[in-house]
Amino acid sequence: MKDHLSDHWKVYAGFAVAAALLFGAAPAMLSDFRLNLLGKFLCFGIVAVGIGLAWGRGGMLTLGQGVYFGLGAYIMAMHLKISDAELRGDDVPDFMQIAGIRELPGYWKPFASPVVTILGILFVPTLIAVLLGFGVFKRKVKGAYFAILSQALAAAFAILLIGQQTTGGSNGLNRFRSFFGLALNDPVNRHLLFYIAAATLLIVVALTRQLMYSRYGELLVAVRDQEERVRFLGYDPANVKVVAYAVAALFASIAGALFVPIVGIISPADVGIVPSIAFLIGVAIGGRTTLLGPVLGAIAVAWAQTSLSENFPSGWTYAQGILFIVVVGFFPAGLAGLGALFRWRRRKSSDPAPTGDIDEVSTTKVGASS
């Protein structure tokens, strides 16, 4: 009972420390530019939490999270562009006027409503993930085949966006001026966006922890390790996988929606194969089977990419690839696994050897000397 209460207090203390760092230390110590950059990294952390659940706990190598990230981002971007056009008194966004489009496309019109936009961000990617998940997992597609399929989906989505004039083509959507009535050039509102991203990350981590340590979380791990045995016990592994895959898609969509006003642009380059793999690399480096490992890994990789690419623009890609190979090949549990291994060895070295073992060793030595 005491250990259970102690674990709860550790969790509460951890969230309190994280909240103090994000809502107190970060705004006080970082410039507006660096704080905005950290907000972008937090969006990547939200995606990583979902990947950690689906891949780390469920064994689904999701190489296509850029699709759901992009869906949430483009839905938010369409709403912001419509809002900006209404503020100027125009019927269509500025880039459509340049392209000669005089009427708002039909699939844009619902997202003029803030309520429909939020509902679209929450439900459209989730519904697509559920339908795709049932179609794939019911047919027992898994492992490398599922990874290739999800990666192909990301590539197809990026190519589709590039060919669409009504979504900005390869340039994407950018130059947003307002966010639900708030001016984006106001530093106060920029800080508010960071706080929203930070709060969302904490909520997502809390919900994921609840899932991981629930009965469903245990079942998800069982499906990852012994899928056929779980099926023999009367559970359908496909249903278990679909839930984790849909939750990961939901988190990615929310992250994409927050990414748009924080960064100010969304393009096919942000949702294709390369960003999908980059999400995965951060999760692998941080530790995919842990709760905080994916978040810290994603933020660390994004920070390193921004910092090192400024000084070594051509070398970062190679460094990222080497780091990924080293972690997967030699430290499959990631950096979080190294910490757990260190604690286990320290505990093992501090525990006294059992008396029975000492007596047995002494007897063996005496017998050998005789």
Side-chain angles (χ1 to χ4, degrees), residues 338-361:
L338 292 179
L341 179 62
F342 175 76
R343 289 192 298 271
W344 177 78
R345 287 188 173 179
R346 187 175 60 179
R347 192 185 311 117
K348 184 179 179 181
S349 62
S350 62
D351 289 342
T355 307
D357 292 347
I358 296 175
D359 293 341
E360 184 178 349
V361 171

Side-chain angles (χ1 to χ4, degrees), residues 149-366:
L149 179 63
S150 61
Q151 192 175 55
L153 183 65
F157 183 60
I159 294 171
L160 176 65
L161 291 173
I162 290 173
Q164 297 296 317
Q165 262 192 331
T166 54
T167 56
S170 58
N171 295 324
L173 303 177
N174 50 46
R175 292 167 51 184
F176 309 109
R177 289 175 170 78
S178 64
F179 175 74
F180 293 100
L182 302 175
L184 287 175
N185 59 358
D186 189 342
V188 175
N189 295 334
R190 305 294 299 178
H191 281 217
L192 177 61
L193 283 173
F194 171 80
Y195 294 139
I196 293 173
T200 303
L201 177 61
L202 292 178
I203 292 171
V204 163
V205 171
L207 291 175
T208 304
R209 184 186 182 278
Q210 193 67 27
L211 275 176
M212 284 184 173
Y213 292 96
S214 66
R215 181 182 178 85
Y216 168 78
E218 295 176 354
L219 190 59
L220 183 62
V221 174
V223 169
R224 179 195 67 190
D225 296 338
Q226 294 289 342
E227 183 172 332
E228 294 303 322
R229 184 172 295 181
V230 170
R231 183 178 286 108
F232 178 77
L233 292 175
Y235 296 97
D236 189 346
N239 296 338
V240 179
K241 289 183 177 182
V242 165
V243 172
Y245 186 59
V247 170
L250 171 63
F251 291 170
S253 177
I254 293 172
L258 292 173
F259 177 89
V260 166
I262 290 175
V263 178
I265 184 173
I266 185 66
S267 70
D270 299 314
V271 304
I273 293 176
V274 174
S276 296
I277 294 176
F279 293 146
L280 205 72
I281 289 175
V283 174
I285 290 174
R288 61 188 176 94
T289 59
T290 61
L291 178 63
L292 295 180
V295 178
L296 299 178
I299 294 174
V301 169
W303 173 82
Q305 180 178 5
T306 302
S307 302
L308 297 178
S309 60
E310 293 175 357
N311 301 319
F312 310 99
S314 60
W316 163 246
T317 303
Y318 297 104
Q320 189 180 39
I322 292 171
L323 185 59
F324 182 64
I325 292 171
V326 169
V327 169
V328 172
F330 300 96
F331 308 106
L335 298 180
L338 292 179
L341 179 62
F342 175 76
R343 289 192 298 271
W344 177 78
R345 287 188 173 179
R346 187 175 60 179
R347 192 185 311 117
K348 184 179 179 181
S349 62
S350 62
D351 289 342
T355 307
D357 292 347
I358 296 175
D359 293 341
E360 184 178 349
V361 171
S362 302
T363 305
T364 303
K365 289 184 177 179
V366 171

Side-chain angles (χ1 to χ4, degrees), residues 123-144:
F123 292 108
V124 170
T126 307
L127 179 60
I128 292 175
V130 168
L131 295 176
L132 180 64
F134 274 118
V136 171
F137 300 131
K138 287 291 185 180
R139 289 173 172 78
K140 300 182 182 180
V141 177
K142 56 184 178 180

Side-chain angles (χ1 to χ4, degrees), residues 22 26 30 34-43 194 299:
L22 291 174
L30 299 177
R34 294 295 176 186
L35 190 68
N36 190 68
L37 202 59
L38 179 58
K40 172 185 173 181
F41 299 161
L42 295 182
C43 295
F194 171 80
I299 294 174

